[in-house]
Amino acid sequence: MKLLSNGLLVAVTGVMLSCAASTKYRHLVSYFDRNGDGKVDLEKHKYPGGFDMDWELRDDNHDGRFERKVLFGYEVGESQVDIPVPTEVKLER
Ligand SMILES: [Ca+2]
């Protein structure tokens, strides 16, 4: 009986830890159409409560591909990417 309760305790603890871990890294993704052509040109990733973890993808020349990834932390970091913009997503106003 004690072995069963110990196993149950381990299982419950594992589930609680995995829930905490997934909550810690859950983030919000929003899509924007800055030039009004109906296509995504800005994708923002926000981590509520996560300081210096937000980042975004930018299609500044509106050719349907993200070319910049910007990280927001103590300092702003930027890198070049080449990623197609998503379609079939809800655009924010
Ligand atoms: Ca582009």
Side-chain angles (χ1 to χ4, degrees):
M1 184 68 178
K2 183 169 181 155
L3 184 62
L4 181 62
S5 64
N6 284 347
L8 183 61
L9 179 62
V10 168
V12 169
T13 302
V15 168
M16 290 173 66
L17 287 174
S18 68
C19 289
S22 66
T23 301
K24 180 179 179 182
Y25 295 109
R26 186 174 299 151
H27 69 286
L28 305 171
V29 183
S30 6
Y31 304 94
F32 298 87
D33 172 19
R34 294 171 295 163
N35 70 338
D37 66 357
K39 298 175 186 171
V40 173
D41 51 30
L42 176 62
E43 179 179 312
K44 289 186 173 189
H45 293 251
K46 292 190 75 66
Y47 292 79
F51 181 67
D52 75 3
M53 294 175 66
D54 296 347
W55 56 278
E56 64 188 32
L57 294 169
R58 303 178 67 99
D59 175 13
D60 292 330
N61 60 8
H62 310 290
D63 67 351
R65 298 190 74 81
F66 294 120
E67 57 272 338
R68 287 197 303 147
K69 179 177 182 178
V70 183
L71 303 170
F72 300 98
Y74 291 109
E75 296 179 19
V76 175
E78 208 173 294
S79 58
Q80 290 190 337
V81 296
D82 184 20
I83 302 169
V85 300
T87 57
E88 312 284 328
V89 293
K90 181 185 170 208
L91 293 168
E92 302 293 326
R93 293 191 164 249

